[in-house]
Amino acid sequence: MFEKIKDLKTYEAGKPIELVVREYGIKPEEIIKLASNENPYGPSPKVIEEVKSKAHLMHRYPDDSFYELKEGLSKKFGLNAENFIIGAGSDQVLEFAVHGIYPSRVLMAGITFAMYEIYSKQVGAEILKTSSKEHNLKEFYDMYKEYKPEIIFLCVPNNPLGECLDADDVYDFIEKVDSQTLIIVDGAYQEFASFKDSKKALDVKKLTDYPNVLYTGTFSKAYGLGGMRVGYGVANKEIIKNLHKLRPPFNITTLSLAAAVKALKDEEWVSKGIKNNFKEMEKYISFAKEKGIEYIESYTNFIVLFIENSKEISNKLLKKGIIVRDMSSYGFDAIRITIGKPEENDKVIDILREIS
Ligand SMILES: *Cc1c(COP(=O)(O)O)cnc(C)c1O
């Protein structure tokens, strides 16, 4: 019955806290979850208040035009409502784009966000990856010339590695690609990158001037709303109009909508979280340097450490209630650690010192 999808793989999400509770008998409050790049501080307290105050509205569908949210996003980027589409996470926007184009071939970095491949395979597309693991735009261009993919994914900065292209290099690349090829620029961690280095800051408004660029952003990372599932796509009106044909009605919830609208009004909270993130990341960098462990310079809220026997190390961490992402399935030993709260990072580093 499911012949057509027999080769598809299920996305493996980071292990949930509940599973570690069940398997290792560790108390939920003792578990440190640093596997899914969530914001350890959560959203602004104002957002939590807002959701509580709107809880009695959960029997109502949300405003399907998402008017207020698009207003807030318009302000953030200096654009208009018709430049936005809202998704249940930016994942859903990626899904609309891939299903809307229905490509035969897509191009992406050697190691990048898993959902690009999953959505593309759903429509039977051939997956082309650069031989470099990190984004190398020369290789992207050569492969684009040779294979003419209909979609090119750029993850800026890249998950799960953490490296980030310069904004100018992204624009130069876009300008060399023909306007019939959709370039999806995934900015899930842009808030982090642009804080760390202005050369990495993409001008999203400028991206909407191109006829073939879709930018995606999310409330799941810097804004601390992973559990609410709100993301967005930004592009010129034509692209957005077409993506809307694939959007089911009421695709985010009434309370998610309220949370996202409010979150945009407390940017100070977001900046504070980002500052803490890079301050705490320094602890991992010092640890890596001290131990002679290689790492990738990160523009995100996680760091990749090339630690030997990473599978074993991740399992040992798990038994102590610490969830990180083992990367050995990529064919090399490394772990990806989401930057947590100060006390969490201290504990992780102490344990890593003991076991590695
Ligand atoms: C987290 C993430 C997303 C999407 O997250 P949503 O929760 O669906 O908004 C998209 N791209 C990358 C690279 C991510 O890391």
Side-chain angles (χ1 to χ4, degrees):
M1 202 163 32
F2 291 102
E3 262 314 283
K4 287 190 177 134
I5 62 165
K6 71 176 192 309
D7 294 329
L8 297 190
K9 288 205 185 75
T10 310
Y11 179 78
E12 293 234 16
K15 281 197 174 48
I17 288 177
E18 292 75 8
L19 184 137
V20 182
V21 172
R22 282 197 306 273
E23 282 191 5
Y24 300 102
I26 300 169
K27 293 198 199 97
E29 61 275 17
E30 282 169 13
I31 289 169
I32 299 180
K33 184 173 181 238
L34 302 175
S36 299
N37 306 337
E38 294 147 329
N39 183 329
Y41 306 101
S44 155
K46 290 177 191 160
V47 170
I48 296 173
E49 277 314 304
E50 178 74 2
V51 170
K52 283 185 185 161
S53 79
K54 296 237 162 111
H56 66 287
L57 293 174
M58 68 171 82
H59 62 303
R60 297 291 177 201
Y61 286 122
D63 162 18
D64 191 55
S65 74
F66 304 128
Y67 177 82
E68 265 194 290
L69 181 53
K70 288 181 187 169
E71 280 277 282
L73 289 168
S74 297
K75 271 204 198 120
K76 176 173 159 104
F77 294 113
L79 288 164
N80 302 305
E82 61 269 16
N83 295 117
F84 298 97
I85 182 163
I86 306 302
S90 54
D91 270 341
Q92 195 182 29
V93 178
L94 297 171
E95 180 185 356
F96 297 156
V98 175
H99 290 190
I101 302 272
Y102 229 88
S104 318
R105 279 176 303 281
V106 301
L107 174 60
M108 64 190 76
I111 293 184
T112 190
F113 190 50
M115 293 312 298
Y116 307 155
E117 184 167 343
I118 292 178
Y119 290 132
S120 300
K121 282 194 176 151
Q122 287 174 1
V123 297
E126 182 189 351
I127 313 295
L128 305 165
K129 294 182 179 177
T130 61
S131 51
S132 291
K133 298 177 178 68
E134 301 183 13
H135 284 66
N136 175 325
L137 287 176
K138 179 163 187 318
E139 279 180 40
F140 267 87
Y141 187 70
D142 291 344
M143 289 187 75
Y144 152 74
K145 275 293 200 200
E146 185 170 353
Y147 300 103
K148 294 281 168 197
E150 291 103 316
I151 299 180
I152 300 175
F153 293 95
L154 298 179
C155 194
V156 191
N158 190 19
N159 177 18
L161 297 180
E163 95 278 5
C164 189
L165 291 167
D166 283 0
D168 282 340
D169 294 337
V170 173
Y171 310 141
D172 287 348
F173 178 76
I174 292 170
E175 272 154 34
K176 285 197 296 188
V177 170
D178 73 281
S179 62
Q180 291 306 302
T181 306
L182 181 69
I183 301 177
I184 298 181
V185 180
D186 183 339
Y189 303 91
Q190 259 296 309
E191 289 89 354
F192 294 95
S194 50
F195 171 88
K196 178 165 170 170
D197 183 348
S198 59
K199 284 202 303 292
K200 312 292 182 187
L202 289 167
D203 179 348
V204 174
K205 187 171 154 82
K206 178 184 163 95
L207 292 180
T208 64
D209 290 339
Y210 297 108
N212 58 329
V213 175
L214 170 67
Y215 175 88
T216 57
T218 181
F219 286 88
S220 300
K221 311 283 161 55
Y223 288 89
L225 289 173
M228 296 304 261
R229 314 302 303 121
V230 190
Y232 53 90
V234 195
N236 70 68
K237 286 192 290 194
E238 268 312 298
I239 292 181
I240 295 297
K241 213 164 62 187
N242 279 294
L243 296 183
H244 269 111
K245 296 179 185 170
L246 292 136
R247 186 182 68 84
F250 314 120
N251 57 322
I252 66 169
T253 72
T254 302
L255 296 178
S256 304
L257 176 60
V261 168
K262 198 71 178 179
L264 283 175
K265 294 181 176 155
D266 194 355
E267 289 291 347
E268 212 177 301
W269 175 267
V270 176
S271 326
K272 219 164 63 185
I274 295 174
K275 265 189 209 136
N276 274 334
N277 171 67
F278 286 112
K279 189 167 153 233
E280 287 298 307
M281 191 183 286
E282 284 302 319
K283 292 179 179 169
Y284 290 98
I285 294 173
S286 306
F287 166 74
K289 284 182 175 160
E290 169 199 321
K291 287 276 204 169
I293 295 168
E294 304 259 343
Y295 63 93
I296 299 175
E297 175 162 14
S298 169
Y299 293 85
T300 65
N301 63 349
F302 58 83
I303 188 162
V304 171
L305 303 179
F306 293 93
I307 228 162
E308 274 171 50
N309 304 319
S310 60
K311 191 165 188 175
E312 204 186 314
I313 299 277
S314 329
N315 277 328
K316 282 187 182 166
L317 287 171
L318 200 55
K319 284 183 188 138
K320 296 190 182 272
I322 296 164
I323 318 173
V324 300
R325 180 64 76 108
D326 168 41
M327 299 183 75
S328 60
S329 63
Y330 290 105
F332 52 85
D333 274 347
I335 54 175
R336 189 194 67 186
I337 308 175
T338 305
I339 310 302
K341 291 180 180 168
E343 61 277 16
E344 295 175 328
N345 302 320
D346 293 342
K347 185 165 172 194
V348 171
I349 291 169
D350 280 349
I351 295 178
L352 278 177
R353 256 208 194 86
E354 275 169 39
I355 65 178
S356 68

